[in-house]
Amino acid sequence: MKSKSLWAGFLLLTFVITLPVSWGMLAKVNFLYPVLHDVVGIDKHIEIYAPKNRKNKLGFEKTSKEERARLFLGIVDAIHNHGEGLSALSYTATSNQQGTTQLMPLLTEPEIVHLKDVAVLLDKIKPLMLILITVWLFVVIVLKMKKVGMPDAVQFLWSALLLISLCGLLLLLGPEKIFNQLHIWAFPDEHQWFFFYEDSLMSTMMKAPVIFAYITGIWIILSIVLTSIILKLFSLPILLGAYKKAHA
């Protein structure tokens, strides 16, 4: 029973520590925004809502997919760098009448405040993850000292299916409900975090919260894959030891 408890704790901790790793991997590829731009239908979404912008940020519907990906990457870089550079994000707006172009700021002040809140949250999570990694290493040592073997293939499969099912259950609750509740918990009450498409090019170019459901799904799948790889590597010495004994 104790061995099973240690295994369950190890499995859960391994999954948790892979979350920031997979997050970092996705950040390096701009959270696949260029791909999701087409999959989610962001182009048509922008065509509908960008011309209706009530903050006098015009011409965004004429931007290219590449420019939107650049702006999204700018936001990604900023929230991982204490919110620096948010005010400088801008796009090229073209006038319908004269055909002239001008640089237009992408974000409004409430959006900048919100994204800085996101940056603060990410900064707070970093030391927590270091603590969890330390706990994970302690569990590894305990498992090694107690010589607790990894579960067989069937046990591992059931554990993986359980983990996937729990993540799937969260997604079934609805990405919008989860999105809203997490924001209520995470951010100051006096700071705006919900933005109508007509008031926010940021929300429009992300088709929020729809894009976050896709990103979360990819994030979880990648974390499960990394968890599986770590568990496989962890069990390798045990498998090699069993092989040597069998052929001694």
Side-chain angles (χ1 to χ4, degrees):
M1 185 67 181
K2 288 183 178 179
S3 295
K4 288 184 177 180
S5 298
L6 281 171
W7 157 246
F10 180 68
L11 174 64
L12 181 60
L13 274 173
T14 303
F15 175 72
V16 170
I17 66 168
T18 62
L19 289 172
V21 177
S22 54
W23 176 276
M25 292 171 67
L26 288 174
K28 291 294 184 182
V29 293
N30 203 13
F31 289 95
L32 300 176
Y33 180 85
V35 176
L36 294 177
H37 180 279
D38 298 334
V39 172
V40 180
I42 288 177
D43 193 45
K44 293 186 180 299
H45 185 75
I46 289 174
E47 286 180 8
I48 294 171
Y49 287 100
K52 300 178 182 179
N53 188 272
R54 296 184 290 226
K55 300 298 181 180
N56 200 33
K57 295 183 181 295
L58 306 176
F60 192 75
E61 66 276 10
K62 296 180 181 179
T63 56
S64 65
K65 172 182 170 180
E66 290 72 24
E67 186 164 17
R68 296 163 192 170
R70 175 186 64 80
L71 293 169
F72 189 88
L73 180 60
I75 292 175
V76 170
D77 289 342
I79 63 173
H80 289 93
N81 192 31
H82 318 296
E84 295 180 10
L86 290 169
S87 301
L89 290 175
S90 59
Y91 65 96
T92 302
T94 304
S95 171
N96 286 329
Q97 289 78 16
Q98 293 84 15
T100 57
T101 60
Q102 61 174 323
L103 284 179
M104 185 76 68
L106 174 70
L107 303 170
T108 62
E109 188 58 34
E111 290 171 324
I112 292 174
V113 171
H114 169 61
L115 290 172
K116 286 184 177 179
D117 285 340
V118 175
V120 169
L121 180 63
L122 291 176
D123 286 340
K124 288 181 178 179
I125 289 175
K126 289 177 183 177
L128 174 62
M129 295 313 303
L130 289 175
I131 293 172
L132 289 175
I133 290 172
T134 303
V135 173
W136 181 83
L137 289 172
F138 175 75
V139 173
V140 169
I141 293 172
V142 171
L143 288 172
K144 287 292 186 181
M145 290 178 63
K146 291 182 175 292
K147 298 181 180 179
V148 177
M150 290 291 100
D152 57 33
V154 175
Q155 288 176 311
F156 176 77
L157 180 61
W158 278 112
S159 299
L161 287 174
L162 177 61
L163 193 58
I164 294 171
S165 298
L166 289 174
C167 294
L169 181 61
L170 290 175
L171 292 178
L172 284 176
L173 293 175
E176 188 170 354
K177 288 183 179 179
I178 296 174
F179 177 82
N180 290 341
Q181 190 58 57
L182 289 176
H183 279 66
I184 291 171
W185 288 338
F187 303 118
D189 294 336
E190 65 275 14
H191 289 180
Q192 182 180 351
W193 54 263
F194 178 83
F195 302 93
F196 289 103
Y197 294 137
E198 293 86 352
D199 297 323
S200 170
L201 291 182
M202 176 186 71
S203 292
T204 299
M205 66 175 277
M206 295 181 184
K207 199 178 179 180
V210 177
I211 194 173
F212 297 123
Y214 283 83
I215 290 175
T216 300
I218 296 169
W219 182 25
I220 289 173
I221 291 171
L222 182 55
S223 295
I224 290 173
V225 170
L226 291 177
T227 299
S228 300
I229 292 173
I230 291 173
L231 294 177
K232 189 67 176 177
L233 292 174
F234 184 81
S235 64
L236 190 59
I238 297 172
L239 295 175
L240 287 174
Y243 177 82
K244 289 178 179 178
K245 286 182 180 179
H247 293 78

